[in-house]
Amino acid sequence: MITVLGAGGNTGGRVVRRLREAGEDVHAVGRAATRLTDAAAHGAEPHVADMTDRAALAAALRGADAAYVLLPLDLTAPGYRSQQDQVGTAIVGALADARVPRVVALSSLGGEVASGTGFLETLHEQEQRLGALDARVLFLRPGLFFESFLPSLPAMRASGVHHDTIDPEVALPMVATADVGDVAADALRHPGAVGVREVLGPEDLTLPEAVARLGAVLGLPGLRYERAPEDVMRGVLVEAGLPADVTEEHLAMNAAFNRGAVRSLAGRGPRTSSPTRLEQWARTLVPAA
Ligand SMILES: NC(=O)c1ccc[n+]([C@@H]2O[C@H](COP(=O)([O-])OP(=O)(O)OC[C@H]3O[C@@H](n4cnc5c(N)ncnc54)[C@H](OP(=O)(O)O)[C@@H]3O)[C@@H](O)[C@H]2O)c1
């Protein structure tokens, strides 16, 4: 049996489907039953548990041969760092309580860097906690998710411009969460999977390239990227309702991208590349005619 945390989310949902297609027994964990209906429809056993609840997580993990774990971003929780710390500690405690022998953990490129990477610092801390477990652990380090463009789509449609603070000359590995889920599901079924595995998508893209491709697929042919100064972007994000601390994490992560501090260590190759192209993913956003 394999337990999947975040089973109602992007990567976790895909992991559940892939494992069920392969005939695995799956415990699908989420914080609301309504978000686990797809997992249940695929034959997984739903377990409602908050990721801050060590005992509830341990109950869902007990008897598992392997587990998929991640650190969700919860914008409703007060304080990004304390939320990540609370969830990360509960997950690792529950894995130890349930004596799960193998773990596939979602981290990120930059997961090896201790400081100066904003959002990614908590993933580094979680790698440290998980690494101390008496278990075989594989850290997945993907590039930027295509899905991270989703919150900005309404503003893109309204203004024809995507603003952020990433240097337009910097090319970043960008990846579909479905590809990350596929790699995770495969690793969960193979006991030898341990260490670090990067998931880089099919190519590195600059923000101007990525935004132009999105525009072409979404029927917004003039869509373009414009780099905003940090202080302007800070105001825009806070005005849009992003908590001030989360805004700072985002800006710090972008600054780390710009100075090359978040990068592939393994390099691009058949093992680190994954197939889904940005245009393919974007086409799934276009309603069928
Ligand atoms: N965005 C990027 O470009 C990027 C790149 C590399 C790595 N990452 C990492 O990827 C991870 C996110 O993966 P994802 O996209 O698969 O996540 P996701 O789609 O946001 O899914 C997270 C799931 O966790 C659930 N959840 C949230 N808070 C919870 C709580 N307190 N207790 C129980 N469940 C909770 C959510 O439930 P609801 O469905 O109820 O909301 C959701 O189903 C993050 O650690 C992030 O740092 C992101």
Side-chain angles (χ1 to χ4, degrees):
M1 186 275 287
I2 297 172
T3 297
V4 178
L5 304 194
N10 293 319
T11 60
R14 180 76 168 202
V15 172
V16 169
R17 283 196 292 285
R18 285 290 186 245
L19 291 176
R20 288 297 303 142
E21 283 162 14
E24 301 285 351
D25 289 334
V26 175
H27 284 187
V29 184
R31 63 179 160 178
T34 49
R35 300 279 287 152
L36 297 174
T37 50
D38 190 59
H42 283 85
E45 188 177 301
H47 285 252
V48 174
D50 197 282
M51 281 198 220
T52 56
D53 186 341
R54 174 172 172 164
L57 290 179
L61 287 162
R62 207 149 276 133
D65 305 304
Y68 177 69
V69 303
L70 51 74
L71 273 188
L73 171 63
D74 185 351
L75 291 178
T76 64
Y80 171 77
R81 292 280 169 147
S82 61
Q83 179 266 345
Q84 293 274 290
D85 195 52
Q86 214 188 345
V87 170
T89 307
I91 291 171
V92 174
L95 287 165
D97 295 346
R99 295 193 171 83
V100 178
R102 291 195 299 114
V103 179
V104 174
L106 180 58
S107 182
S108 170
L109 285 188
E112 77 284 0
V113 182
S115 64
T117 58
F119 274 135
L120 309 180
E121 290 176 27
T122 59
L123 297 176
H124 173 77
E125 286 163 15
Q126 187 66 350
E127 286 199 7
Q128 302 299 301
R129 288 189 197 101
L130 288 162
L133 277 173
D134 181 18
R136 271 173 291 161
V137 183
L138 175 70
F139 297 106
L140 294 185
R141 291 193 187 147
L144 195 65
F145 292 170
F146 295 155
E147 283 77 358
S148 60
F149 286 110
L150 287 175
S152 309
L153 279 187
M156 288 190 208
R157 288 187 197 282
S159 68
V161 185
H162 177 53
H163 289 105
D164 208 344
T165 55
I166 297 175
D167 183 335
E169 302 285 323
V170 170
L172 299 168
M174 297 189 197
V175 59
T177 56
D179 288 359
V180 178
D182 289 352
V183 171
D186 189 60
L188 285 160
R189 301 188 61 239
H190 290 93
V194 70
V196 173
R197 173 95 184 255
E198 295 180 355
V199 193
L200 304 180
E203 61 194 322
D204 294 1
L205 293 171
T206 64
L207 264 288
E209 284 166 345
V211 167
R213 291 183 192 198
L214 279 178
V217 175
L218 299 177
L220 306 165
L223 189 67
R224 63 191 168 83
Y225 175 71
E226 223 173 72
R227 182 179 184 177
E230 254 195 15
D231 53 339
V232 173
M233 200 65 211
R234 178 177 289 113
V236 169
L237 293 173
V238 170
E239 176 74 16
L242 207 63
D245 63 336
V246 175
T247 299
E248 294 309 321
E249 304 287 0
H250 175 80
L251 295 174
M253 180 179 71
N254 284 356
F257 289 154
N258 290 345
R259 52 173 200 278
V262 179
R263 59 192 177 80
S264 165
L265 302 180
R268 185 172 288 286
R271 192 170 161 71
T272 53
S273 290
S274 63
T276 306
R277 296 174 59 81
L278 180 64
E279 292 89 331
Q280 262 174 288
W281 171 80
R283 277 196 285 275
T284 66
L285 306 175
V286 180

